[in-house]
């Protein structure tokens, strides 16, 4: 079997407003959870209770995603500025009491 080799280079990854996108999605999941709460009994009667908990899980995972992409965005900005990886963010730890 011959080894597969790509015929062209992979494109650069798309960059965009990642933090805003993840935040918007998280808010959407939480709003969907809140909208479904008044109908909790109906969902339970019809065996669709998992819909409610799926929305809550999406909101919870979205919070983890926001934390992750904010850190990623900060790391990309530090790398673009040429700062070392362990450098704290500007304004962090500047208390001089």
């Amino acid at each position: 079997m011959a080894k597969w080799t790509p015929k062209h280079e992979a494109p650069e990854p798309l960059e965009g407003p990642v933090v805003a996108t993840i935040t918007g999605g998280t808010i959407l999941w939480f709003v969907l959870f809140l909208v479904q709460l008044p109908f909790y009994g109906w969902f339970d009667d019809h065996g669709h209770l998992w819909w409610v908990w799926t929305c809550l899980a999406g909101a919870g995972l979205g919070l983890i995603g926001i934390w992750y992409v904010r850190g990623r965005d900060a790391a990309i900005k530090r790398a673009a500025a040429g700062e070392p990886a362990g450098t704290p963010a500007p304004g962090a730890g500047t208390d001089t009491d």
Side-chain angles (χ1 to χ4, degrees), residues 6-68:
K7 299 195 184 314
H8 53 80
E9 291 185 32
E12 290 293 319
L14 296 175
E15 291 295 329
V18 180
V19 176
T21 302
I22 300 301
T23 302
T26 302
I27 291 169
L28 180 63
W29 278 114
F30 189 68
V31 167
L32 288 171
F33 169 72
L34 292 177
V35 166
Q36 290 179 355
L37 274 181
F39 305 103
Y40 188 88
W42 184 90
F43 284 113
D44 193 19
D45 293 343
H46 291 85
H48 297 301
L49 198 55
W50 63 272
W51 290 7
V52 177
W53 301 119
T54 298
C55 292
L56 186 61
L61 290 172
L63 291 174
I64 296 169
I66 291 170
W67 172 77
Y68 179 82

Side-chain angles (χ1 to χ4, degrees), residues 78 83-89:
R78 275 194 310 270
E83 297 176 10
T87 305

